[in-house]
Amino acid sequence: EIVLTQSPGTLSLSPGERATLSCRASQSVIRTNLVWYQQKPGQAPRVLIHGASSRATGIPDRFSGSGSGTDFTLTISRLEPEDFAVYFCQQFDGSRYTFGQGTKLEIK
Amino acid sequence: QVQLVQSGAEVKKPGASVTVSCKASANRFTTYNVHWVRQAPGQGLQWLGMIDPSGGTNYPGNFRGRVTMTRDTSTATVYMELGSLRSDDTAVYFCATEVPATCFFDYWGQGTLITVSS
């Protein structure tokens, strides 16, 4: 099983700032199978990025994904108030899906 | 806009089984995989398995033998049954769809809280 470790656990920033979230895998991840989700309290997750760097339908261009191998990054260029939420990375290794434990992005 | 509507919250005793349903607003299930993901209170996400359009299933090893996913095409409904419930199965259970081979979940149900307590 591929274990995904996200860092930091909590990120405290102000609106307008840049956010950089990390997702590190215990072994190499197929780049096309790396996904980022956003989840707000009481809601289901929403897909932001798939294939490591492709924005999902309707996702603003301030969200971007990068990385390969075992290291992936989600960047939010300029934080909007609605971006404060929990973010999860997810991968599929051909037989099972695993998620990171999440990064909470909170208002400073 | 696709909607996935799940059945309501339930309370179960340890050792019992629970079945959660997930109905699509349109028969998305004829061409999409349906996955189940759960989230324990204040915790992360855990994949429980999937059912494909032909009814084939894929369960991770840690749930194999305890989880069963089925589908009723006539009612556009997918079911997830989890047996031998334990207190650590207390969680919100989500269904979600995937366009086959894209590896991400594009539409999600609203979630169903399953509480396991004696």
Side-chain angles (χ1 to χ4, degrees):
Chain A
E1 172 184 323
I2 295 179
V3 176
L4 300 178
T5 302
Q6 293 186 240
S7 60
T10 302
L11 185 57
S12 300
L13 294 171
S14 300
E17 291 192 293
R18 180 184 187 90
T20 304
L21 286 67
S22 172
C23 176
R24 181 160 291 175
S26 59
Q27 54 188 284
S28 188
V29 169
I30 303 168
R31 192 173 191 274
T32 53
N33 297 358
L34 194 287
V35 184
W36 289 94
Y37 297 89
Q38 176 193 71
Q39 187 180 33
K40 296 181 179 180
Q43 296 184 17
R46 175 176 72 143
V47 60
L48 298 174
I49 301 288
H50 58 87
S53 59
S54 298
R55 273 187 302 277
T57 303
I59 300 303
D61 60 8
R62 65 179 181 273
F63 291 91
S64 63
S66 63
S68 64
T70 59
D71 289 293
F72 296 88
T73 300
L74 174 70
T75 301
I76 311 171
S77 59
R78 284 181 57 86
L79 286 166
E80 298 287 341
E82 63 267 27
D83 298 338
F84 292 91
V86 179
Y87 293 83
F88 294 96
C89 56
Q90 170 238 298
Q91 69 80 39
F92 177 60
D93 63 9
S95 63
R96 70 183 293 166
Y97 294 78
T98 56
F99 292 87
Q101 83 282 10
T103 289
K104 181 179 181 180
L105 180 54
E106 64 176 25
I107 299 177
K108 187 173 182 180
Chain B
Q1 179 75 7
V2 175
Q3 276 197 307
L4 302 178
V5 179
Q6 300 182 219
S7 49
E10 300 203 46
V11 179
K12 293 291 185 180
K13 293 193 182 304
S17 296
V18 67
T19 298
V20 183
S21 67
C22 173
K23 182 175 173 59
S25 58
N27 205 343
R28 187 173 178 84
F29 299 155
T30 58
T31 54
Y32 291 82
N33 295 333
V34 177
H35 296 257
W36 290 87
V37 175
R38 74 179 185 182
Q39 187 170 37
Q43 302 300 309
L45 302 165
Q46 185 177 30
W47 181 66
L48 283 80
M50 60 82 74
I51 184 167
D52 67 25
S54 65
T57 54
N58 176 20
Y59 308 133
N62 51 332
F63 287 102
R64 205 167 292 139
R66 214 160 63 93
V67 69
T68 304
M69 297 175 188
T70 56
R71 61 195 299 143
D72 183 340
T73 306
S74 66
T75 60
T77 303
V78 168
Y79 300 90
M80 187 280 300
E81 180 183 15
L82 184 63
S84 303
L85 290 170
R86 308 182 292 253
S87 58
D88 62 0
D89 290 318
T90 294
V92 175
Y93 288 73
F94 295 99
C95 62
T97 58
E98 174 216 358
V99 173
T102 60
C103 305
F104 67 91
F105 311 141
D106 54 356
Y107 290 98
W108 293 67
Q110 83 276 17
T112 298
L113 175 61
I114 303 300
T115 303
V116 182
S117 173
S118 55

